[in-house]
PDB file of all heavy atoms in Angstrom:
ATOM      1  N   TYR A  10      24.576   7.169  20.653  1.00  0.00           N
ATOM      2  CA  TYR A  10      23.111   7.270  20.933  1.00  0.00           C
ATOM      3  C   TYR A  10      22.389   7.055  19.563  1.00  0.00           C
ATOM      4  O   TYR A  10      21.396   6.371  19.494  1.00  0.00           O
ATOM      5  CB  TYR A  10      22.715   8.544  21.529  1.00  0.00           C
ATOM      6  CG  TYR A  10      21.267   8.621  21.848  1.00  0.00           C
ATOM      7  CD1 TYR A  10      20.607   7.804  22.642  1.00  0.00           C
ATOM      8  CD2 TYR A  10      20.485   9.685  21.124  1.00  0.00           C
ATOM      9  CE1 TYR A  10      19.212   7.912  22.800  1.00  0.00           C
ATOM     10  CE2 TYR A  10      19.153   9.713  21.224  1.00  0.00           C
ATOM     11  CZ  TYR A  10      18.447   8.872  22.110  1.00  0.00           C
ATOM     12  OH  TYR A  10      17.112   8.966  22.223  1.00  0.00           O
ATOM     13  N   ASP A  11      22.811   7.905  18.569  1.00  0.00           N
ATOM     14  CA  ASP A  11      22.087   7.735  17.225  1.00  0.00           C
ATOM     15  C   ASP A  11      22.182   6.319  16.679  1.00  0.00           C
ATOM     16  O   ASP A  11      21.173   5.789  16.242  1.00  0.00           O
ATOM     17  CB  ASP A  11      22.825   8.678  16.259  1.00  0.00           C
ATOM     18  CG  ASP A  11      22.618  10.142  16.564  1.00  0.00           C
ATOM     19  OD1 ASP A  11      21.671  10.437  17.384  1.00  0.00           O
ATOM     20  OD2 ASP A  11      23.440  10.947  16.119  1.00  0.00           O
ATOM     21  N   GLU A  12      23.357   5.724  16.750  1.00  0.00           N
ATOM     22  CA  GLU A  12      23.498   4.358  16.209  1.00  0.00           C
ATOM     23  C   GLU A  12      22.665   3.401  17.011  1.00  0.00           C
ATOM     24  O   GLU A  12      22.023   2.499  16.427  1.00  0.00           O
ATOM     25  CB  GLU A  12      24.974   3.897  16.368  1.00  0.00           C
ATOM     26  CG  GLU A  12      25.198   2.554  15.676  1.00  0.00           C
ATOM     27  CD  GLU A  12      26.639   2.177  15.740  1.00  0.00           C
ATOM     28  OE1 GLU A  12      27.515   2.934  16.215  1.00  0.00           O
ATOM     29  OE2 GLU A  12      26.913   1.084  15.156  1.00  0.00           O
ATOM     30  N   THR A  13      22.484   3.486  18.336  1.00  0.00           N
ATOM     31  CA  THR A  13      21.736   2.710  19.088  1.00  0.00           C
ATOM     32  C   THR A  13      20.263   2.790  18.752  1.00  0.00           C
ATOM     33  O   THR A  13      19.489   1.782  18.674  1.00  0.00           O
ATOM     34  CB  THR A  13      21.949   2.989  20.664  1.00  0.00           C
ATOM     35  OG1 THR A  13      23.282   2.914  20.965  1.00  0.00           O
ATOM     36  CG2 THR A  13      21.116   2.027  21.470  1.00  0.00           C
ATOM     37  N   CYS A  14      19.802   4.009  18.419  1.00  0.00           N
ATOM     38  CA  CYS A  14      18.412   4.275  18.051  1.00  0.00           C
ATOM     39  C   CYS A  14      18.102   3.580  16.713  1.00  0.00           C
ATOM     40  O   CYS A  14      17.063   2.957  16.550  1.00  0.00           O
ATOM     41  CB  CYS A  14      18.142   5.802  18.039  1.00  0.00           C
ATOM     42  SG  CYS A  14      18.101   6.600  19.561  1.00  0.00           S
ATOM     43  N   PHE A  15      19.023   3.688  15.825  1.00  0.00           N
ATOM     44  CA  PHE A  15      18.750   3.015  14.476  1.00  0.00           C
ATOM     45  C   PHE A  15      18.790   1.487  14.580  1.00  0.00           C
ATOM     46  O   PHE A  15      18.067   0.881  14.005  1.00  0.00           O
ATOM     47  CB  PHE A  15      19.888   3.469  13.544  1.00  0.00           C
ATOM     48  CG  PHE A  15      19.603   4.802  12.914  1.00  0.00           C
ATOM     49  CD1 PHE A  15      20.301   5.996  13.240  1.00  0.00           C
ATOM     50  CD2 PHE A  15      18.570   4.982  11.934  1.00  0.00           C
ATOM     51  CE1 PHE A  15      19.997   7.153  12.593  1.00  0.00           C
ATOM     52  CE2 PHE A  15      18.293   6.181  11.312  1.00  0.00           C
ATOM     53  CZ  PHE A  15      19.029   7.315  11.693  1.00  0.00           C
ATOM     54  N   GLU A  16      19.649   1.087  15.569  1.00  0.00           N
ATOM     55  CA  GLU A  16      19.679  -0.445  15.780  1.00  0.00           C
ATOM     56  C   GLU A  16      18.372  -0.876  16.419  1.00  0.00           C
ATOM     57  O   GLU A  16      17.979  -1.980  16.165  1.00  0.00           O
ATOM     58  CB  GLU A  16      20.833  -0.776  16.734  1.00  0.00           C
ATOM     59  CG  GLU A  16      22.227  -0.809  15.961  1.00  0.00           C
ATOM     60  CD  GLU A  16      22.382  -1.902  14.932  1.00  0.00           C
ATOM     61  OE1 GLU A  16      21.794  -2.919  15.152  1.00  0.00           O
ATOM     62  OE2 GLU A  16      23.104  -1.673  13.981  1.00  0.00           O
ATOM     63  N   CYS A  17      17.741  -0.063  17.208  1.00  0.00           N
ATOM     64  CA  CYS A  17      16.397  -0.436  17.803  1.00  0.00           C
ATOM     65  C   CYS A  17      15.464  -0.600  16.614  1.00  0.00           C
ATOM     66  O   CYS A  17      14.672  -1.618  16.703  1.00  0.00           O
ATOM     67  CB  CYS A  17      16.011   0.688  18.745  1.00  0.00           C
ATOM     68  SG  CYS A  17      16.823   0.647  20.365  1.00  0.00           S
ATOM     69  N   SER A  18      15.415   0.323  15.724  1.00  0.00           N
ATOM     70  CA  SER A  18      14.472   0.235  14.560  1.00  0.00           C
ATOM     71  C   SER A  18      14.831  -0.985  13.718  1.00  0.00           C
ATOM     72  O   SER A  18      13.935  -1.677  13.151  1.00  0.00           O
ATOM     73  CB  SER A  18      14.502   1.438  13.739  1.00  0.00           C
ATOM     74  OG  SER A  18      13.954   2.515  14.494  1.00  0.00           O
ATOM     75  N   LYS A  19      16.133  -1.375  13.593  1.00  0.00           N
ATOM     76  CA  LYS A  19      16.547  -2.476  12.824  1.00  0.00           C
ATOM     77  C   LYS A  19      15.989  -3.711  13.509  1.00  0.00           C
ATOM     78  O   LYS A  19      15.466  -4.701  12.900  1.00  0.00           O
ATOM     79  CB  LYS A  19      18.046  -2.487  12.695  1.00  0.00           C
ATOM     80  CG  LYS A  19      18.578  -3.767  11.980  1.00  0.00           C
ATOM     81  CD  LYS A  19      20.116  -3.718  11.907  1.00  0.00           C
ATOM     82  CE  LYS A  19      20.673  -4.944  11.192  1.00  0.00           C
ATOM     83  NZ  LYS A  19      22.149  -4.922  11.133  1.00  0.00           N
ATOM     84  N   LEU A  20      16.130  -3.832  14.783  1.00  0.00           N
ATOM     85  CA  LEU A  20      15.665  -4.908  15.598  1.00  0.00           C
ATOM     86  C   LEU A  20      14.167  -5.153  15.484  1.00  0.00           C
ATOM     87  O   LEU A  20      13.640  -6.233  15.245  1.00  0.00           O
ATOM     88  CB  LEU A  20      15.989  -4.776  17.089  1.00  0.00           C
ATOM     89  CG  LEU A  20      15.481  -5.850  18.040  1.00  0.00           C
ATOM     90  CD1 LEU A  20      16.087  -7.189  17.716  1.00  0.00           C
ATOM     91  CD2 LEU A  20      15.738  -5.401  19.475  1.00  0.00           C
ATOM     92  N   ILE A  21      13.457  -4.014  15.454  1.00  0.00           N
ATOM     93  CA  ILE A  21      11.952  -4.094  15.235  1.00  0.00           C
ATOM     94  C   ILE A  21      11.598  -4.655  13.899  1.00  0.00           C
ATOM     95  O   ILE A  21      10.735  -5.501  13.818  1.00  0.00           O
ATOM     96  CB  ILE A  21      11.340  -2.678  15.422  1.00  0.00           C
ATOM     97  CG1 ILE A  21      11.449  -2.226  16.876  1.00  0.00           C
ATOM     98  CG2 ILE A  21       9.909  -2.631  15.028  1.00  0.00           C
ATOM     99  CD1 ILE A  21      11.305  -0.632  17.109  1.00  0.00           C
ATOM    100  N   THR A  22      12.277  -4.226  12.890  1.00  0.00           N
ATOM    101  CA  THR A  22      12.051  -4.643  11.554  1.00  0.00           C
ATOM    102  C   THR A  22      12.318  -6.159  11.456  1.00  0.00           C
ATOM    103  O   THR A  22      11.516  -6.882  10.830  1.00  0.00           O
ATOM    104  CB  THR A  22      12.941  -3.954  10.488  1.00  0.00           C
ATOM    105  OG1 THR A  22      12.824  -2.462  10.709  1.00  0.00           O
ATOM    106  CG2 THR A  22      12.578  -4.325   9.081  1.00  0.00           C
ATOM    107  N   ASN A  23      13.502  -6.597  12.014  1.00  0.00           N
ATOM    108  CA  ASN A  23      13.829  -7.988  11.920  1.00  0.00           C
ATOM    109  C   ASN A  23      12.771  -8.940  12.665  1.00  0.00           C
ATOM    110  O   ASN A  23      12.514 -10.052  12.285  1.00  0.00           O
ATOM    111  CB  ASN A  23      15.231  -8.202  12.463  1.00  0.00           C
ATOM    112  CG  ASN A  23      16.253  -7.631  11.563  1.00  0.00           C
ATOM    113  OD1 ASN A  23      16.001  -7.495  10.371  1.00  0.00           O
ATOM    114  ND2 ASN A  23      17.402  -7.371  12.108  1.00  0.00           N
ATOM    115  N   LYS A  24      12.297  -8.359  13.796  1.00  0.00           N
ATOM    116  CA  LYS A  24      11.354  -9.200  14.655  1.00  0.00           C
ATOM    117  C   LYS A  24       9.949  -9.257  13.960  1.00  0.00           C
ATOM    118  O   LYS A  24       9.251 -10.273  14.077  1.00  0.00           O
ATOM    119  CB  LYS A  24      11.221  -8.496  16.049  1.00  0.00           C
ATOM    120  CG  LYS A  24      12.433  -8.762  16.845  1.00  0.00           C
ATOM    121  CD  LYS A  24      12.437 -10.163  17.389  1.00  0.00           C
ATOM    122  CE  LYS A  24      13.519 -10.428  18.417  1.00  0.00           C
ATOM    123  NZ  LYS A  24      13.523 -11.757  18.993  1.00  0.00           N
ATOM    124  N   TYR A  25       9.522  -8.153  13.327  1.00  0.00           N
ATOM    125  CA  TYR A  25       8.179  -8.072  12.789  1.00  0.00           C
ATOM    126  C   TYR A  25       7.996  -8.584  11.352  1.00  0.00           C
ATOM    127  O   TYR A  25       6.944  -8.998  10.954  1.00  0.00           O
ATOM    128  CB  TYR A  25       7.611  -6.634  12.912  1.00  0.00           C
ATOM    129  CG  TYR A  25       7.135  -6.303  14.198  1.00  0.00           C
ATOM    130  CD1 TYR A  25       7.870  -5.677  15.200  1.00  0.00           C
ATOM    131  CD2 TYR A  25       5.806  -6.550  14.564  1.00  0.00           C
ATOM    132  CE1 TYR A  25       7.395  -5.409  16.496  1.00  0.00           C
ATOM    133  CE2 TYR A  25       5.210  -6.263  15.810  1.00  0.00           C
ATOM    134  CZ  TYR A  25       6.049  -5.651  16.737  1.00  0.00           C
ATOM    135  OH  TYR A  25       5.545  -5.290  17.999  1.00  0.00           O
ATOM    136  N   SER A  26       9.015  -8.487  10.542  1.00  0.00           N
ATOM    137  CA  SER A  26       8.879  -8.740   9.103  1.00  0.00           C
ATOM    138  C   SER A  26      10.048  -9.387   8.473  1.00  0.00           C
ATOM    139  O   SER A  26      11.072  -8.738   8.203  1.00  0.00           O
ATOM    140  CB  SER A  26       8.432  -7.488   8.366  1.00  0.00           C
ATOM    141  OG  SER A  26       8.367  -7.643   6.951  1.00  0.00           O
ATOM    142  N   THR A  27       9.892 -10.597   8.123  1.00  0.00           N
ATOM    143  CA  THR A  27      10.948 -11.374   7.355  1.00  0.00           C
ATOM    144  C   THR A  27      11.090 -10.730   5.989  1.00  0.00           C
ATOM    145  O   THR A  27      12.195 -10.544   5.488  1.00  0.00           O
ATOM    146  CB  THR A  27      10.546 -12.891   7.182  1.00  0.00           C
ATOM    147  OG1 THR A  27      10.410 -13.417   8.534  1.00  0.00           O
ATOM    148  CG2 THR A  27      11.708 -13.616   6.505  1.00  0.00           C
ATOM    149  N   SER A  28       9.929 -10.468   5.390  1.00  0.00           N
ATOM    150  CA  SER A  28       9.941  -9.929   3.977  1.00  0.00           C
ATOM    151  C   SER A  28      10.767  -8.590   3.847  1.00  0.00           C
ATOM    152  O   SER A  28      11.635  -8.509   3.111  1.00  0.00           O
ATOM    153  CB  SER A  28       8.525  -9.760   3.498  1.00  0.00           C
ATOM    154  OG  SER A  28       7.789 -10.902   3.582  1.00  0.00           O
ATOM    155  N   PHE A  29      10.376  -7.613   4.682  1.00  0.00           N
ATOM    156  CA  PHE A  29      11.038  -6.330   4.612  1.00  0.00           C
ATOM    157  C   PHE A  29      12.427  -6.414   5.137  1.00  0.00           C
ATOM    158  O   PHE A  29      13.262  -5.734   4.607  1.00  0.00           O
ATOM    159  CB  PHE A  29      10.239  -5.270   5.343  1.00  0.00           C
ATOM    160  CG  PHE A  29       9.014  -4.866   4.611  1.00  0.00           C
ATOM    161  CD1 PHE A  29       7.715  -5.155   5.144  1.00  0.00           C
ATOM    162  CD2 PHE A  29       9.026  -4.112   3.499  1.00  0.00           C
ATOM    163  CE1 PHE A  29       6.606  -4.826   4.474  1.00  0.00           C
ATOM    164  CE2 PHE A  29       7.841  -3.726   2.704  1.00  0.00           C
ATOM    165  CZ  PHE A  29       6.675  -4.130   3.275  1.00  0.00           C
ATOM    166  N   SER A  30      12.720  -7.295   6.033  1.00  0.00           N
ATOM    167  CA  SER A  30      14.127  -7.401   6.577  1.00  0.00           C
ATOM    168  C   SER A  30      15.048  -7.884   5.459  1.00  0.00           C
ATOM    169  O   SER A  30      16.140  -7.246   5.262  1.00  0.00           O
ATOM    170  CB  SER A  30      14.220  -8.443   7.726  1.00  0.00           C
ATOM    171  OG  SER A  30      13.464  -7.952   8.844  1.00  0.00           O
ATOM    172  N   LEU A  31      14.677  -8.858   4.765  1.00  0.00           N
ATOM    173  CA  LEU A  31      15.503  -9.316   3.672  1.00  0.00           C
ATOM    174  C   LEU A  31      15.591  -8.300   2.533  1.00  0.00           C
ATOM    175  O   LEU A  31      16.677  -8.112   1.951  1.00  0.00           O
ATOM    176  CB  LEU A  31      14.855 -10.632   3.062  1.00  0.00           C
ATOM    177  CG  LEU A  31      15.026 -11.918   3.890  1.00  0.00           C
ATOM    178  CD1 LEU A  31      14.241 -13.080   3.385  1.00  0.00           C
ATOM    179  CD2 LEU A  31      16.528 -12.249   4.057  1.00  0.00           C
ATOM    180  N   GLY A  32      14.523  -7.611   2.226  1.00  0.00           N
ATOM    181  CA  GLY A  32      14.578  -6.525   1.232  1.00  0.00           C
ATOM    182  C   GLY A  32      15.545  -5.494   1.544  1.00  0.00           C
ATOM    183  O   GLY A  32      16.343  -5.001   0.743  1.00  0.00           O
ATOM    184  N   ILE A  33      15.480  -5.004   2.887  1.00  0.00           N
ATOM    185  CA  ILE A  33      16.338  -3.887   3.310  1.00  0.00           C
ATOM    186  C   ILE A  33      17.819  -4.316   3.242  1.00  0.00           C
ATOM    187  O   ILE A  33      18.710  -3.515   2.860  1.00  0.00           O
ATOM    188  CB  ILE A  33      15.995  -3.460   4.692  1.00  0.00           C
ATOM    189  CG1 ILE A  33      14.559  -2.766   4.641  1.00  0.00           C
ATOM    190  CG2 ILE A  33      16.971  -2.461   5.242  1.00  0.00           C
ATOM    191  CD1 ILE A  33      13.990  -2.495   6.069  1.00  0.00           C
ATOM    192  N   LYS A  34      18.103  -5.603   3.479  1.00  0.00           N
ATOM    193  CA  LYS A  34      19.472  -5.997   3.409  1.00  0.00           C
ATOM    194  C   LYS A  34      20.126  -5.912   2.078  1.00  0.00           C
ATOM    195  O   LYS A  34      21.319  -5.981   1.843  1.00  0.00           O
ATOM    196  CB  LYS A  34      19.609  -7.532   3.983  1.00  0.00           C
ATOM    197  CG  LYS A  34      19.417  -7.639   5.443  1.00  0.00           C
ATOM    198  CD  LYS A  34      19.626  -9.132   5.878  1.00  0.00           C
ATOM    199  CE  LYS A  34      19.571  -9.303   7.341  1.00  0.00           C
ATOM    200  NZ  LYS A  34      18.310  -8.898   8.028  1.00  0.00           N
ATOM    201  N   ALA A  35      19.185  -5.852   1.063  1.00  0.00           N
ATOM    202  CA  ALA A  35      19.627  -5.773  -0.331  1.00  0.00           C
ATOM    203  C   ALA A  35      19.988  -4.358  -0.795  1.00  0.00           C
ATOM    204  O   ALA A  35      20.550  -4.148  -1.880  1.00  0.00           O
ATOM    205  CB  ALA A  35      18.648  -6.354  -1.335  1.00  0.00           C
ATOM    206  N   PHE A  36      19.645  -3.412   0.081  1.00  0.00           N
ATOM    207  CA  PHE A  36      19.924  -1.993  -0.244  1.00  0.00           C
ATOM    208  C   PHE A  36      21.430  -1.747   0.051  1.00  0.00           C
ATOM    209  O   PHE A  36      22.074  -2.422   0.797  1.00  0.00           O
ATOM    210  CB  PHE A  36      19.205  -1.053   0.673  1.00  0.00           C
ATOM    211  CG  PHE A  36      17.720  -0.942   0.411  1.00  0.00           C
ATOM    212  CD1 PHE A  36      16.848  -0.926   1.469  1.00  0.00           C
ATOM    213  CD2 PHE A  36      17.240  -0.823  -0.870  1.00  0.00           C
ATOM    214  CE1 PHE A  36      15.419  -0.814   1.248  1.00  0.00           C
ATOM    215  CE2 PHE A  36      15.805  -0.715  -1.081  1.00  0.00           C
ATOM    216  CZ  PHE A  36      14.993  -0.804  -0.011  1.00  0.00           C
ATOM    217  N   ASP A  37      22.038  -0.700  -0.703  1.00  0.00           N
ATOM    218  CA  ASP A  37      23.330  -0.323  -0.343  1.00  0.00           C
ATOM    219  C   ASP A  37      23.300   0.092   1.101  1.00  0.00           C
ATOM    220  O   ASP A  37      22.333   0.601   1.544  1.00  0.00           O
ATOM    221  CB  ASP A  37      23.785   0.880  -1.312  1.00  0.00           C
ATOM    222  CG  ASP A  37      24.189   0.366  -2.695  1.00  0.00           C
ATOM    223  OD1 ASP A  37      24.178  -0.815  -2.941  1.00  0.00           O
ATOM    224  OD2 ASP A  37      24.474   1.254  -3.547  1.00  0.00           O
ATOM    225  N   LYS A  38      24.433   0.008   1.715  1.00  0.00           N
ATOM    226  CA  LYS A  38      24.497   0.175   3.195  1.00  0.00           C
ATOM    227  C   LYS A  38      24.007   1.516   3.680  1.00  0.00           C
ATOM    228  O   LYS A  38      23.336   1.696   4.689  1.00  0.00           O
ATOM    229  CB  LYS A  38      25.941  -0.033   3.706  1.00  0.00           C
ATOM    230  CG  LYS A  38      26.028  -0.169   5.248  1.00  0.00           C
ATOM    231  CD  LYS A  38      27.353  -0.729   5.602  1.00  0.00           C
ATOM    232  CE  LYS A  38      27.471  -0.882   7.144  1.00  0.00           C
ATOM    233  NZ  LYS A  38      26.539  -1.901   7.558  1.00  0.00           N
ATOM    234  N   GLY A  39      24.244   2.616   2.909  1.00  0.00           N
ATOM    235  CA  GLY A  39      23.870   3.880   3.301  1.00  0.00           C
ATOM    236  C   GLY A  39      22.312   4.166   3.300  1.00  0.00           C
ATOM    237  O   GLY A  39      21.843   4.999   3.931  1.00  0.00           O
ATOM    238  N   PHE A  40      21.593   3.176   2.678  1.00  0.00           N
ATOM    239  CA  PHE A  40      20.161   3.333   2.663  1.00  0.00           C
ATOM    240  C   PHE A  40      19.447   2.518   3.828  1.00  0.00           C
ATOM    241  O   PHE A  40      18.313   2.654   4.084  1.00  0.00           O
ATOM    242  CB  PHE A  40      19.518   2.879   1.354  1.00  0.00           C
ATOM    243  CG  PHE A  40      19.880   3.791   0.233  1.00  0.00           C
ATOM    244  CD1 PHE A  40      20.839   3.422  -0.754  1.00  0.00           C
ATOM    245  CD2 PHE A  40      19.297   5.006   0.010  1.00  0.00           C
ATOM    246  CE1 PHE A  40      21.195   4.234  -1.825  1.00  0.00           C
ATOM    247  CE2 PHE A  40      19.631   5.854  -1.056  1.00  0.00           C
ATOM    248  CZ  PHE A  40      20.673   5.426  -1.969  1.00  0.00           C
ATOM    249  N   GLN A  41      20.169   1.564   4.440  1.00  0.00           N
ATOM    250  CA  GLN A  41      19.579   0.597   5.276  1.00  0.00           C
ATOM    251  C   GLN A  41      18.990   1.227   6.576  1.00  0.00           C
ATOM    252  O   GLN A  41      17.908   1.001   6.906  1.00  0.00           O
ATOM    253  CB  GLN A  41      20.610  -0.543   5.641  1.00  0.00           C
ATOM    254  CG  GLN A  41      20.900  -1.374   4.411  1.00  0.00           C
ATOM    255  CD  GLN A  41      21.903  -2.530   4.710  1.00  0.00           C
ATOM    256  OE1 GLN A  41      22.162  -2.793   5.862  1.00  0.00           O
ATOM    257  NE2 GLN A  41      22.334  -3.145   3.708  1.00  0.00           N
ATOM    258  N   TYR A  42      19.949   1.980   7.295  1.00  0.00           N
ATOM    259  CA  TYR A  42      19.418   2.562   8.522  1.00  0.00           C
ATOM    260  C   TYR A  42      18.185   3.503   8.358  1.00  0.00           C
ATOM    261  O   TYR A  42      17.308   3.452   9.087  1.00  0.00           O
ATOM    262  CB  TYR A  42      20.569   3.376   9.207  1.00  0.00           C
ATOM    263  CG  TYR A  42      21.384   2.540  10.184  1.00  0.00           C
ATOM    264  CD1 TYR A  42      22.613   3.072  10.675  1.00  0.00           C
ATOM    265  CD2 TYR A  42      20.886   1.395  10.737  1.00  0.00           C
ATOM    266  CE1 TYR A  42      23.342   2.321  11.658  1.00  0.00           C
ATOM    267  CE2 TYR A  42      21.665   0.668  11.624  1.00  0.00           C
ATOM    268  CZ  TYR A  42      22.850   1.150  12.114  1.00  0.00           C
ATOM    269  OH  TYR A  42      23.640   0.446  13.065  1.00  0.00           O
ATOM    270  N   PRO A  43      18.197   4.366   7.336  1.00  0.00           N
ATOM    271  CA  PRO A  43      17.020   5.263   7.167  1.00  0.00           C
ATOM    272  C   PRO A  43      15.755   4.447   6.911  1.00  0.00           C
ATOM    273  O   PRO A  43      14.707   4.807   7.400  1.00  0.00           O
ATOM    274  CB  PRO A  43      17.410   6.091   6.010  1.00  0.00           C
ATOM    275  CG  PRO A  43      18.894   6.128   6.001  1.00  0.00           C
ATOM    276  CD  PRO A  43      19.281   4.684   6.409  1.00  0.00           C
ATOM    277  N   ILE A  44      15.771   3.369   6.129  1.00  0.00           N
ATOM    278  CA  ILE A  44      14.648   2.556   5.841  1.00  0.00           C
ATOM    279  C   ILE A  44      14.172   1.752   7.173  1.00  0.00           C
ATOM    280  O   ILE A  44      12.973   1.701   7.473  1.00  0.00           O
ATOM    281  CB  ILE A  44      14.793   1.649   4.695  1.00  0.00           C
ATOM    282  CG1 ILE A  44      15.131   2.442   3.426  1.00  0.00           C
ATOM    283  CG2 ILE A  44      13.507   0.770   4.472  1.00  0.00           C
ATOM    284  CD1 ILE A  44      14.122   3.483   3.055  1.00  0.00           C
TER     285      ILE A  44
END
């Protein structure tokens, strides 16, 4: 459930913002879901 919720926020980010999506992908993996 937790992972699914974070994936929902990831999907929202990817749909709404190319800029922030690419920036977040550059974070170390442990920082990506929280952002």
Side-chain angles (χ1 to χ4, degrees):
Y10 178 66
D11 292 339
E12 184 175 2
T13 302
C14 291
F15 279 107
E16 284 290 330
C17 285
S18 290
K19 178 180 178 180
L20 175 63
I21 291 164
T22 309
N23 290 337
K24 285 289 187 179
Y25 276 93
S26 177
T27 305
S28 302
F29 285 112
S30 295
L31 286 171
I33 292 172
K34 286 181 175 67
F36 291 135
D37 283 358
K38 195 168 183 61
F40 294 104
Q41 291 180 13
Y42 267 167
I44 301 301

